[in-house]
Amino acid sequence: MTDLINPATEEVVASVQATDLAAVDAAIERAHIALAAWREVAPGDRARLLRKFADAVDADLENLARLEVANSGHTIGNARWEAGNVRDLLEYYAAAPERLLGKQIPVAGGIDVTFNEPLGVVGIIVPWNFPMPIAAWGFAPALAAGNTVVLKPAELTPLTAIRLGELALQAGIPADVFQVLPGKGSVVGQRFVTHPAVRKVVFTGSTEVGRQIMAGCAAQIKRVTLELGGKNANVVFADADIEKAAATAPYGVFDNAGQDCCARSRILVQRSVFDRFMELLEPAVQGVVVGDPADDTTEMGPLISASHRSTVAGYIEPSTRVAFRGNAPAGPGFWFPPTVVLPSSPTDRVVAEEVFGPVVTVVPFEDERDAVRIANDTDYGLSGSLWTNDLGRALRVSRALEAGNLSVNSHSSVRYWTPFGGFKQSGLGRELGPDGALAFTEVKNVFIATT
Ligand code: TAP
C-alpha cells in the first residue's frame, strides 16, 4: 500500500494498493478481449456512452475537485476547472465516433476508400502535476476512436483517476474498456511499453523518462505520443502594454506552483523597459495569494512533496541573485514562495533546466533578433508568450519561436479545441483539437475493383 500525503497539511489522505506485474498483465489481457466488442459499438451508441460519462463527471465535479485539492494541493478553483475539462473533453470527443469519415479517393478500375481503424489497447501514463486533464486528453479521444484504455496515474496522485474509472463504469462504459491501474512507473508504465497487446503509449512526464519510453517502444515499432518538459519564454517587447505584461507574468509561471510544463519560467524583457517592468513585477509577485488550496481566494498552493520541494530549493544556490520573493505559509505543507531570479549567465542551472516550481528568471534583451535567439536557446520547445502591440512583430516572432503553443498578449496554452504538443525535446505528436481522435487510429486503404 502507498500512503498518499496531502501536500498542504502533510496528513495521510488515503492508502492505495499498487498494481503488481501479474495484475497489469491480466488487465491488459482483459482490455484486449474487450476491444472486439467496443470497436463494434455503433458510432452513435459509442457517442452516447461518452456523453453519459461526461454527465457523470459533471455530476461528480465538486467531489473530483475536492479529491484533487486533498491529493495534489491544487487550488480549488483550478481543480474545478480541471474536472470540468475532463467533462468537456468527453463531450467534445463524443462527436468523433460519428465523424471518423475516412476518404473516398478517385482511382482507375474501382473504388478506393480509407478507414480510420482503432489501434487496439492504448496505455496512458500520467504525471502528478495535472492528474485529471492529462489523463482525459488521452482517454477521451482514444475511447472515441474505438480503442480500449489502460491508464496509469502517477504514484503520488491516483485518486481522481481511480474515481474517473468508477464514473465510467457507472455511466455504462463496458467493463475493461477503461481501466485505471495505480502503481509504479517502473512496473505498470514499463509494462505498457513492453506488452505486445498495447499498441500505443501516450506518455506525459519528464524528458528523461520519455526518452526511455520512446526507446522501449522502438522494439515493437509501438506508436507513441510524448508530452515532455518545457522551459518556456515570456517575451516582453518595449511596445507592449507593460503594466498588463507585468501584472500577468506571475500567473503565467506560478499557476499550480510552477509545476506546469507550460510555465513561462524565463521572462525576457526588452532592455529599454527592463527597470520599469521589474518595478511593476515586484508588487504583482507579492500579491499572489499563497495558502490553503481549499480556500476559494487562494491562487497558489504547495509543491507536491517534500522531495520535490528540496529539488526546487536546490536551484537557489548561495550565489543566486534573488530579486524578490512572494509569500508562503509557515508550518506544515510543502510550501515554497514565488521567487524571481536575476541569473548571472545563460548556463546557470536555473535558466537552463526545468525547475518545475515557482521560480522565474528575468533577463534583458536588445532587439527582436536577440529575443528570438535567447528564447530558442533551449532543448525544449513547448509553449511561450509574447507581448507586443505590433501585429507584424507578433506574427514574425510567433513564426520564429521554436515552440508548439504560443500566446500573444496572454498566457494561455491549452484549449481542448486546438492542437497541443512540443517542438524539439518537449515531445512528439499532438494531442487535443479536431484531429485528436485520429492520433488513435491507423489509416487503412481498401481498393474495390469494379471491373
Ligand atoms: P516522470 O517522473 O517522468 O513521471 C511521469 C509518469 O511516468 C509517472 O506516472 C511515472 O510513474 C511514470 N514513469 C516513471 N518511470 C517510468 C518508466 N521507467 N516507465 C514507464 N513509466 C514511468 O515525470 P513527473 O516528475 O511525474 O512529471 C513532471 C514532468 O512532466 C515535467 O518534466 C513536466 O514538464 C512534464 N509534463 C509535461 C506535460 C506536457 S503536456 N508536455 C504536462 C505535464 C507535465 P511514478 O508515478 O511511479 O513515478
Side-chain angles (χ1 to χ4, degrees):
M1 297 289 272
T2 309
D3 284 344
L4 306 175
I5 310 293
N6 181 327
T9 63
E10 301 186 36
E11 286 162 6
V12 175
V13 179
S15 299
V16 169
Q17 184 71 50
T19 314
D20 66 18
L21 196 55
V24 180
D25 279 357
I28 293 172
E29 288 306 325
R30 289 197 303 274
H32 187 55
I33 292 165
L35 182 71
W38 179 242
R39 61 176 292 169
E40 291 305 323
V41 172
D45 292 336
R46 207 185 309 139
R48 235 182 311 280
L49 284 169
L50 291 173
R51 281 189 214 106
K52 282 193 181 154
F53 188 4
D55 290 346
V57 171
D58 193 47
D60 203 57
L61 194 142
E62 190 63 21
N63 176 49
L64 284 164
R66 297 271 165 202
L67 271 180
E68 205 65 277
V69 172
N71 190 178
S72 309
H74 288 199
T75 62
I76 184 67
N78 278 9
R80 287 187 184 121
W81 181 90
E82 291 158 15
N85 187 242
V86 178
R87 172 203 56 213
D88 294 346
L89 282 155
L90 284 164
E91 275 176 4
Y92 182 70
Y93 286 113
E98 295 164 294
R99 290 172 178 77
L100 286 170
L101 299 176
K103 289 190 171 123
Q104 181 267 312
I105 301 171
V107 290
I111 300 287
D112 194 282
V113 287
T114 66
F115 295 93
N116 296 115
E117 304 286 13
L119 299 171
V121 181
V122 172
I124 301 175
I125 303 173
V126 181
W128 47 257
N129 63 331
F130 288 111
M132 282 191 276
I134 290 173
W137 296 5
F139 72 67
L143 294 173
N147 304 276
T148 55
V149 169
V150 284
L151 183 139
K152 191 203 98 65
E155 234 184 315
L156 295 175
T157 57
L159 293 184
T160 47
I162 292 170
R163 181 68 187 142
L164 288 170
E166 293 167 0
L167 293 171
L169 280 176
Q170 274 176 30
I173 302 285
D176 304 329
V177 166
F178 174 50
Q179 298 178 73
V180 176
L181 310 175
K184 283 191 180 304
S186 54
V187 177
V188 185
Q190 181 59 19
R191 193 62 183 134
F192 293 177
V193 173
T194 58
H195 198 300
V198 177
R199 295 292 174 79
K200 175 163 187 169
V201 173
V202 178
F203 171 81
T204 304
S206 59
T207 295
E208 188 191 346
V209 176
R211 195 174 287 121
Q212 292 168 32
I213 302 262
M214 190 174 174
C217 286
Q220 295 169 22
I221 319 292
K222 190 172 289 197
R223 277 66 181 139
V224 66
T225 296
L226 301 173
E227 296 285 4
L228 309 174
K231 190 71 187 176
N232 313 293
N234 173 11
V235 185
V236 181
F237 287 96
D239 68 57
D241 178 341
I242 303 298
E243 278 73 20
K244 195 169 172 198
T248 57
Y251 301 96
V253 58
F254 301 140
D255 188 56
N256 206 30
Q259 302 166 122
D260 182 346
C261 51
C262 290
R264 275 65 167 167
S265 54
R266 292 184 297 146
I267 305 179
L268 281 47
V269 185
Q270 196 153 14
R271 195 179 294 279
S272 56
V273 291
F274 189 88
D275 291 345
R276 174 82 185 123
F277 181 87
M278 291 303 280
E279 267 168 37
L280 293 164
L281 184 64
E282 183 164 4
V285 167
Q286 280 156 0
V288 175
V289 182
V290 185
D292 179 3
D295 187 327
D296 274 324
T297 59
T298 297
E299 294 176 322
M300 188 183 120
L303 292 169
I304 187 69
S305 65
S307 103
H308 188 55
R309 180 173 60 182
S310 77
T311 305
V312 170
Y315 282 94
I316 310 299
E317 292 163 7
S319 59
T320 305
R321 207 170 133 212
V322 173
F324 38 83
R325 285 195 166 94
N327 305 297
F334 310 125
W335 303 101
F336 197 87
T339 302
V340 178
V341 168
L342 297 169
S344 54
S345 141
T347 58
D348 284 1
R349 279 179 65 233
V350 71
V351 190
E353 297 177 17
E354 183 182 43
V355 177
F356 224 53
V359 177
V360 68
T361 58
V362 193
V363 296
F365 68 84
E366 303 304 331
D367 55 18
E368 196 175 303
R369 200 184 157 97
D370 197 31
V372 169
R373 179 189 63 76
I374 299 171
N376 286 342
D377 185 18
T378 165
D379 289 337
Y380 293 115
L382 189 56
S383 72
S385 304
L386 52 133
W387 291 77
T388 174
N389 281 322
D390 178 335
L391 181 59
R393 166 173 285 157
L395 288 170
R396 275 194 310 275
V397 176
S398 295
R399 297 298 301 271
L401 292 179
E402 298 169 333
N405 310 273
L406 296 169
S407 52
V408 178
N409 297 333
S410 87
H411 292 301
S412 66
S413 302
V414 178
R415 293 182 172 79
Y416 61 85
W417 309 274
T418 59
F420 180 85
F423 279 32
K424 302 195 282 188
Q425 295 191 28
S426 284
L428 189 72
R430 291 292 178 272
E431 296 188 280
L432 305 178
D435 299 330
L438 289 179
F440 295 96
T441 65
E442 292 284 12
V443 174
K444 181 183 286 168
N445 193 68
V446 177
F447 170 76
I448 306 150
T450 51
T451 55

